[in-house]
Amino acid sequence: MGCKTPKFDIAILGAGISGLLLASELSKELSIILIEKKSSIPSHKYWLTNKDCIKDNPELVHCIDNEYDYLDFVGYNNVKYTCSGNYILWDTNRLINHLYQTIVANDCPVMCSTQFYSYEYVEDRINISAGDKKYSVKLVIDCMGYSSPIVNAKGIIDIKGYYHMFGKKLKLRERVNPIGLQNIILQSSSKYFELFPLKNEYAFAAIISTQSSTYSSKSILEEFEFIVNDSHMKSYFDNTYFDNDSVNGIIPVGNLNTRALNKIFFYGEAGQLNPATSATALTIMLKQYKDLAKELVCVVKENRTDRKNLLALKNIGISNLATKFQLKLFMDVMKWDSDKFANFVEQMQFLDDKLVFDIIFGELNLIDILKQKQLLKILSPNNYLFKNFVKSILS
């Protein structure tokens, strides 16, 4: 006789930050299995969020590395806008380790080097195939992001493009200001440099670009190497230190067609309502994941894991207006050259810092637009933010 199929309440597919957050909370009340295809928990990203997200997560305070009260946005021609706000940079390893230890302490098995590849419905449960085993669960939560076979096979997201990121942790020679985005090199298709100093003598530095596919050309790597080794910014960095571990990621942007199938729920980069940046995605998740977990516990315990009930779950993603706005702005950014980004930075100077701060973290609303001190200067069809805001309302 063959071995019995192991049973769990929930299988979470993907041990990135979204999977870790949900597993750490859900495993307090339900039997969870966390499945990750890589050989270890992914730790190849860094996260900047707003400080408000820590209010409901005081246990994570020790996972913060640094705090800033402003970010610079800079064009190739040195036009600059400084946005005041409460920003926090996370210690990636400490945050991941805290969530992992919580999961393990709750007797949740974490299966690395285990690739999910298929599923089937069996009576009132769903069986998933991962590695050389099958697992029987009441609910599957897909946190695999853009590479999810379910997302791709079922057409869950209408992808418009991707944010590509490549960078490294570098040693600094001097104190530097945090850079939200800077277009350093004059280009017809702009790429953007960001720099976030850690509390110690290091900083995360990266190139961000918009792409129509998941394919990354060598240019993003070459541009990063040029900026840190050969441009005027090389004086910031101690090139005798070299961290072989790169930080990288691909973030999908598009229209979410559905957040759930029968007994399958999508969360994280593939299931948020259009997380235009990783900053937006993690900020919103940190504010919502505990309340979402409570709802998920209820639907599982009450055996209401059908698509209708999963779609009725709240506490997910950003507002419809913010979702549309970020998508419209992304489609604009895809076509920007260096001059258009420089114009955008100039236009940001007419905006109140709070509005820009809220746009960064997916909290845009109509009231904040109408409260702008220089509203008349914003009300122009040539203003990128106003143009896309109007499109968002009308769509």
Side-chain angles (χ1 to χ4, degrees):
M1 294 182 62
C3 296
K4 288 186 177 180
T5 302
K7 289 187 176 182
F8 295 90
D9 290 320
I10 298 177
I12 297 179
L13 308 178
I17 191 65
S18 57
L20 291 173
L21 284 170
L22 278 186
S24 68
E25 198 66 17
L26 290 169
S27 58
K28 295 176 181 178
E29 296 197 47
L30 300 174
S31 61
I32 309 294
I33 183 168
L34 180 59
I35 295 173
E36 169 57 46
K37 70 178 181 180
K38 294 183 178 178
S39 59
S40 60
I41 301 297
S43 60
H44 57 280
K45 290 184 180 179
Y46 57 89
W47 297 285
L48 182 87
T49 68
N50 73 30
K51 195 172 183 179
D52 284 350
C53 64
I54 205 66
K55 291 178 180 177
D56 296 323
N57 301 281
E59 74 281 4
L60 299 180
V61 169
H62 72 287
C63 301
I64 295 173
D65 182 278
N66 208 356
E67 300 184 29
Y68 317 121
D69 53 17
Y70 65 90
L71 287 182
D72 285 339
F73 295 83
V74 189
Y76 76 96
N77 54 359
N78 284 326
V79 60
K80 184 171 76 171
Y81 166 74
T82 298
C83 182
S84 298
N86 297 315
Y87 306 90
I88 54 178
L89 180 69
W90 293 87
D91 182 317
T92 300
N93 291 330
R94 193 176 294 173
L95 177 59
I96 287 174
N97 186 60
H98 174 90
L99 296 173
Y100 175 78
Q101 293 300 329
T102 301
I103 292 165
V104 172
N106 292 334
D107 295 322
C108 170
V110 180
M111 310 294 291
C112 291
S113 299
T114 305
Q115 181 170 335
F116 160 83
Y117 56 92
S118 185
Y119 69 88
E120 61 180 337
Y121 295 107
V122 179
E123 297 177 349
D124 63 340
R125 300 176 72 89
I126 181 170
N127 287 354
I128 63 169
S129 298
D132 60 351
K133 293 183 174 60
K134 284 191 176 183
Y135 302 94
S136 176
V137 298
K138 296 178 181 178
L139 175 68
V140 171
I141 301 179
D142 184 342
C143 297
M144 292 183 287
Y146 79 93
S147 62
S148 164
I150 305 177
V151 167
N152 291 318
K154 300 294 184 178
I156 301 303
I157 300 179
D158 178 18
I159 296 291
K160 301 299 182 183
Y162 303 85
Y163 284 103
H164 287 239
M165 180 185 76
F166 175 84
K168 291 183 179 294
K169 185 170 76 172
L170 301 175
K171 189 173 182 180
L172 296 171
R173 287 178 175 168
E174 58 184 76
R175 181 184 175 277
V176 297
N177 296 333
I179 299 172
L181 291 174
Q182 181 171 3
N183 175 221
I184 294 173
I185 304 172
L186 184 65
Q187 295 161 312
S188 60
S189 179
S190 301
K191 300 181 185 69
Y192 308 97
F193 184 72
E194 63 180 25
L195 181 66
F196 299 123
L198 300 161
K199 270 187 177 177
N200 55 25
E201 56 188 343
Y202 296 89
F204 285 120
I207 289 285
I208 306 288
S209 71
T210 56
Q211 304 284 344
S212 59
S213 72
T214 57
Y215 173 74
S216 291
S217 65
K218 291 199 312 185
S219 63
I220 189 170
L221 169 60
E222 292 170 349
E223 184 164 318
F224 177 81
E225 297 292 345
F226 170 78
I227 289 172
V228 300
N229 293 320
D230 297 302
S231 78
H232 70 279
M233 299 194 76
K234 72 177 184 179
S235 63
Y236 292 174
F237 308 112
D238 181 354
N239 290 329
T240 62
Y241 168 83
F242 188 77
D243 187 347
N244 287 317
D245 294 329
S246 64
V247 289
N248 56 81
I250 301 176
I251 303 168
V253 181
N255 292 314
L256 186 66
N257 295 323
T258 183
R259 193 183 289 119
L261 302 174
N262 185 33
K263 300 187 185 306
I264 301 175
F265 182 72
F266 300 99
Y267 190 67
E269 289 179 357
Q272 293 286 100
L273 284 179
N274 188 42
T277 65
S278 57
T280 304
L282 184 55
T283 297
I284 298 300
M285 283 191 285
L286 285 171
K287 290 183 177 182
Q288 298 177 347
Y289 81 99
K290 289 182 178 178
D291 288 335
L292 174 60
K294 289 178 183 177
E295 293 186 87
L296 287 167
V297 167
C298 289
V299 299
V300 169
K301 286 185 175 181
E302 297 168 8
N303 198 28
R304 294 187 292 108
T305 56
D306 58 282
R307 181 173 181 267
K308 180 180 178 180
N309 280 296
L310 293 176
L311 288 176
L313 294 174
K314 304 171 185 176
N315 300 303
I316 313 159
I318 59 181
S319 72
N320 189 44
L321 176 62
T323 297
K324 290 180 179 179
F325 174 80
Q326 288 199 353
L327 182 57
K328 301 290 184 186
L329 185 60
F330 173 82
M331 298 303 291
D332 239 8
V333 174
M334 288 272 286
K335 298 176 287 187
W336 282 1
D337 56 22
S338 292
D339 280 334
K340 286 186 178 178
F341 179 71
N343 290 338
F344 176 69
V345 174
E346 289 177 340
Q347 293 173 4
M348 291 171 78
Q349 299 181 48
F350 297 128
L351 306 174
D352 295 347
D353 286 345
K354 183 183 183 304
L355 178 64
V356 178
F357 185 81
D358 287 346
I359 288 171
I360 293 171
F361 296 110
E363 297 177 340
L364 173 71
N365 61 70
L366 178 59
I367 294 175
D368 284 344
I369 287 282
L370 297 177
K371 284 183 177 179
Q372 293 302 290
K373 295 173 184 175
Q374 301 190 62
L375 184 60
L376 291 179
K377 290 186 178 180
I378 301 169
L379 301 178
S380 163
N382 295 321
N383 184 289
Y384 295 115
L385 292 176
F386 177 72
K387 176 180 67 176
N388 288 297
F389 181 73
V390 171
K391 287 181 180 179
S392 303
I393 293 176
L394 297 177
S395 64

